[in-house]
């Protein structure tokens, strides 16, 4: 059996590894010329940790994890207004919380591909696809510059929230995309002074309707992410000019980041993808293409690992095309409850992540400060885990 996976993000890479280990021939096709260098920090715990441990991916992830000491909100002068001790949170989660930069997470997943027989696996960047078709029980993928199509028994759409595979076989994006009224940008810049100041801490601006986050990396670079309210129907214009306008007045550290920001940073809608079914014939969607949970859920990376692992579990015993449909149904049955929980968490977070007024801002500060009181730290952390780790 042969699978073609479109997209070399976390979900696509994990699925490729699991299918390859199960005996499938796998080709991963990625449009970008190289792995994406930018991305934000994420916490990885709960179902993602369980799945990664079960399939043997966890050691690769742990190797590139960061040791976060605290998450802090700061005012325009950089003075802390509220702080959360990460070690307490990790301890209540059984010590199984990894803080990972998205590009590092993808690099770990690529390294784990080395376990697969190389004759069964191909990972190709800079691939442009001209046409996707289904003929009977097979998929045909026409790649630009090649005279003959690639033929496979299964096409896996792992090409993100704006999936071309989904659009081709399931319908237009607007049928499935559920914007949450925000946009998010992320980029990495070299800035030794900010790196020194913010090493081992998440630092976020304590501001209304927007927040800029900063984290010092192992190098002299700084990873940043910016989340801000935005009407999905409103015109966009150049991303850099928009970010500089929206985040004006957030403080000197944010001004410095935006002065160094590349001309075309990652900047996209904060949204979820909601579908009635993730497969049709020999085509299946995984990761954000099937069920984006949004960065507000805090479980995007975890759900990507879970999806790749679940697809491998479901398809591991498939040796003939006639067995494919029941296997894809099992994959969806395994993933639906996890996705439902994560998406519900993301929708709840959308109501509170960016305070709209000073009262909401004060309430958030008060809740975070209360974690320094005896017993309250455990109560708050348990509530977070209850929401996200089911």
């Amino acid at each position: 059996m042969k699978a073609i996976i479109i997209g070399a993000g976390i979900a696509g890479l994990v699925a490729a590894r699991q299918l390859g280990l199960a005996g499938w021939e796998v080709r991963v096709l990625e449009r970008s010329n190289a792995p994406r260098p930018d991305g934000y920090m994420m916490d990885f715990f709960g179902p993602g940790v369980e799945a990664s441990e079960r399939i043997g991916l966890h050691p690769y992830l742990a190797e590139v994890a960061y040791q976060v000491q605290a998450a802090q909100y700061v005012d325009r002068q950089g003075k802390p207004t509220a702080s959360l001790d990460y070690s307490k949170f990790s301890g209540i989660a059984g010590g199984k919380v990894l803080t990972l930069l998205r590009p590092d997470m993808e690099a770990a997943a690529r390294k784990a591909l080395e376990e697969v027989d190389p004759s069964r696996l191909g990972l190709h960047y800079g691939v442009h696809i001209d046409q996707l078709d289904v003929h009977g029980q097979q998929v045909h993928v026409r790649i630009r510059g090649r005279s003959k199509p690639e033929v496979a028994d299964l096409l896996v759409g792992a090409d993100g929230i704006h999936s071309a595979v989904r659009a081709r076989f399931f319908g237009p994006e607007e049928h499935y995309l559920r914007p949450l009224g925000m946009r998010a940008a992320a980029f990495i810049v070299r800035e030794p002074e900010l790196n020194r100041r913010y090493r081992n801490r998440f630092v976020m601006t304590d501001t209304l309707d927007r927040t800029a986050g900063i984290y010092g990396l192992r190098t002299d670079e700084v990873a940043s992410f910016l989340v801000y309210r935005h009407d999905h129907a409103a015109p966009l214009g150049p991303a850099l000019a928009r970010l500089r306008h929206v985040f004006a007045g957030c403080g000197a550290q944010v001004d410095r980041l935006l002065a160094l920001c590349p001309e075309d940073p990652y900047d996209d809608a904060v949204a979820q993808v909601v579908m009635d079914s993730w497969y049709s014939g020999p085509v299946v969607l995984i990761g954000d293409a099937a069920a984006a949970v949004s960065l507000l859920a805090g479980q995007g990376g975890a759900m990507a690992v879970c999806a790749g692992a679940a697809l491998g579990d479901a398809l591991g015993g498939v040796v003939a095309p006639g067995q494919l449909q029941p296997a894809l149904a099992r994959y969806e049955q395994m993933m639906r409850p996890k996705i439902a929980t994560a998406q519900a968490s993301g929708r709840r977070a959308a109501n509170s992540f960016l305070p709209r007024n000073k009262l909401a801002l004060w309430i958030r500060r008060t809740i975070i400060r209360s974690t320094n009181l005896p017993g309250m730290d455990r109560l708050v952390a348990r509530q977070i885990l209850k929401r996200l780790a089911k």
Side-chain angles (χ1 to χ4, degrees):
M1 296 289 285
K2 179 179 177 180
I4 294 177
I5 299 175
I6 308 296
I10 299 166
L13 294 169
V14 174
R17 175 180 182 266
Q18 296 311 108
L19 291 175
L21 291 175
W24 283 63
E25 180 185 348
V26 184
R27 295 291 178 268
V28 183
L29 309 179
E30 169 59 47
R31 181 178 60 182
S32 300
N33 291 328
R36 190 175 77 190
D38 290 338
Y40 43 82
M41 282 284 186
M42 63 182 80
D43 287 328
F44 184 79
F45 62 99
V49 168
E50 295 166 8
S52 68
E53 289 179 330
R54 180 172 57 78
I55 66 176
L57 182 65
H58 194 268
Y60 295 96
L61 299 175
E63 187 177 352
V64 297
Y66 281 79
Q67 300 299 316
V68 180
Q69 297 172 353
Q72 287 184 332
Y73 282 96
V74 298
D75 61 20
R76 288 174 174 80
Q77 287 71 45
K79 180 181 178 181
T81 58
S83 182
L84 177 67
D85 186 332
Y86 250 60
S87 64
K88 294 180 180 180
F89 175 76
S90 179
I92 294 168
K96 294 184 177 182
V97 177
L98 300 180
T99 300
L100 298 158
L101 189 64
R102 189 178 187 90
D104 290 345
M105 198 171 180
E106 291 183 2
R110 285 194 301 275
K111 186 175 181 181
L113 291 176
E114 296 174 3
E115 297 180 20
V116 180
D117 181 344
S119 68
R120 292 188 174 277
L121 177 67
L123 173 57
H124 309 280
Y125 288 90
V127 176
H128 293 269
I129 296 170
D130 286 333
Q131 192 170 340
L132 299 169
D133 291 298
V134 171
H135 296 282
Q137 293 182 313
Q138 291 185 318
V139 292
H140 288 224
V141 179
R142 287 198 172 274
I143 298 172
R144 190 173 302 171
R146 299 185 188 178
S147 58
K148 293 183 178 180
E150 284 262 357
V151 180
D153 302 291
L154 177 68
L155 178 66
V156 181
D159 49 342
I161 194 170
H162 303 296
S163 170
V165 176
R166 186 184 64 227
R168 171 67 180 84
F169 294 104
F170 297 86
E173 178 175 292
E174 55 265 28
H175 291 178
Y176 308 110
L177 200 67
R178 304 290 186 270
L180 297 179
M182 306 175 196
R183 291 186 70 85
F187 55 90
I188 295 173
V189 296
R190 181 180 179 274
E191 221 300 350
E193 174 58 26
L194 287 180
N195 176 283
R196 181 194 62 77
R197 190 186 309 174
Y198 298 126
R199 179 70 66 92
N200 298 327
R201 289 182 295 153
F202 282 126
V203 176
M204 292 166 283
T205 60
D206 196 13
T207 40
L208 298 175
D209 290 327
R210 56 189 173 160
T211 188
I214 308 170
Y215 188 86
L217 304 183
R218 296 185 183 92
T219 60
D220 58 1
E221 295 174 306
V222 174
S224 59
F225 74 98
L226 303 98
V227 185
Y228 56 102
R229 294 196 185 278
H230 189 273
D231 183 349
H232 188 67
L236 291 172
L240 181 54
R242 182 174 64 257
L243 293 174
R244 287 176 175 170
H245 172 72
V246 170
F247 286 90
C250 285
Q253 68 274 18
V254 179
D255 292 342
R256 178 59 178 161
L257 282 176
L258 291 173
L260 297 172
C261 179
E263 284 292 329
D264 188 26
Y266 166 83
D267 178 82
D268 204 351
V270 176
Q272 297 184 336
V273 171
V274 180
M275 302 182 68
D276 292 332
S277 180
W278 300 333
Y279 68 96
S280 176
V283 180
V284 65
L285 303 174
I286 64 172
D288 283 352
V293 298
S294 86
L295 65 86
L296 302 181
Q299 289 280 279
M303 291 300 103
V305 171
C306 287
L311 192 67
D313 291 342
L315 299 180
V318 172
V319 296
Q323 299 174 322
L324 191 60
Q325 296 304 299
L328 294 178
R330 288 195 297 274
Y331 147 73
E332 188 164 325
Q333 289 166 1
M334 285 187 278
M335 283 301 300
R336 280 285 178 187
K338 295 181 177 66
I339 292 296
T341 297
Q343 288 190 332
S345 175
R347 290 190 294 270
R348 286 193 298 267
N351 295 324
S352 59
F353 185 75
L354 297 181
R356 291 182 179 272
N357 53 56
K358 291 183 178 180
L359 175 60
L361 204 65
W362 177 83
I363 291 172
R364 184 176 68 184
R365 290 174 189 162
T366 302
I367 291 173
I368 295 174
R369 288 168 179 168
S370 72
T371 62
N372 296 315
L373 300 174
M376 286 299 296
D377 56 340
R378 307 185 71 83
L379 177 62
V380 172
R382 282 174 179 154
Q383 286 300 313
I384 295 173
L385 292 171
K386 183 178 179 181
R387 283 184 170 189
L388 301 180
K390 290 181 180 179

